[in-house]
Amino acid sequence: MNILIKPIITEKATNDSELFNRYAFVVNKKANKLEIKNAVAKAYGVEIESVKTMNYPVQRNTKYTKSGIVQAMKGAYKKAIVQLAEGESIDFYSNI
C-alpha cells in the first residue's frame, strides 16, 4: 500500500511550512497516523512531532448551460498535516 500520494504545494501550505514547520500531503484513505508518520520519516529522513488528518468527501456539482445540464464530480481524498521537529525541514524542489 502506497501511503504518500503527493505533497500539497499551495500558497497556504507553503506559508504554513515557512512559519510553523508544517507540511501537507495527500495520503491513502486507509492509512492511519502512525503509518503516515513512518512513511514521511522514511521518505524524507526527518523527525516528526505530530500528524493531523482530514477526510474530504466527494464533491458533486451541477451546471445548467445552454447545451443542457453538465454534472461534475471531484473525488474524495485524505489530507495529512505533518508537524516536524525543531530544526527539521523538507525540500520538495531538490530533485527537479
Side-chain angles (χ1 to χ4, degrees), residues 8 11 23 35 39-40 52 54 69 79 85 87 93 96:
I8 298 174
E11 188 174 347
Y23 295 87
E35 293 172 340
V40 172
K52 297 177 183 173
M54 293 156 267
I69 297 174
K79 182 167 93 171
Y93 305 107
I96 294 178

Side-chain angles (χ1 to χ4, degrees), residues 1 12 16 26 43-44 60 67 77 81 90 93 96:
M1 177 169 76
K12 186 175 181 178
D16 225 18
V26 175
Y44 296 103
R60 293 180 169 86
S67 61
Y77 63 97
I81 306 292
I90 296 175
Y93 305 107
I96 294 178

Side-chain angles (χ1 to χ4, degrees), residues 27-92:
V27 296
N28 190 325
K29 288 184 231 176
K30 295 183 179 180
N32 60 28
K33 291 182 180 185
L34 291 175
E35 293 172 340
I36 295 167
K37 181 178 180 178
N38 292 334
V40 172
K42 183 179 177 184
Y44 296 103
V46 292
E47 191 176 326
I48 297 163
E49 285 184 7
S50 67
V51 177
K52 297 177 183 173
T53 59
M54 293 156 267
N55 287 308
Y56 287 89
V58 173
Q59 294 179 347
R60 293 180 169 86
N61 63 355
T62 304
K63 296 178 184 174
Y64 299 96
T65 63
K66 289 181 183 178
S67 61
I69 297 174
V70 178
Q71 294 181 343
M73 183 179 82
K74 185 177 178 185
Y77 63 97
K78 186 172 191 175
K79 182 167 93 171
I81 306 292
V82 178
Q83 172 78 41
L84 299 184
E86 190 70 33
E88 298 279 344
S89 67
I90 296 175
D91 186 17
F92 293 129

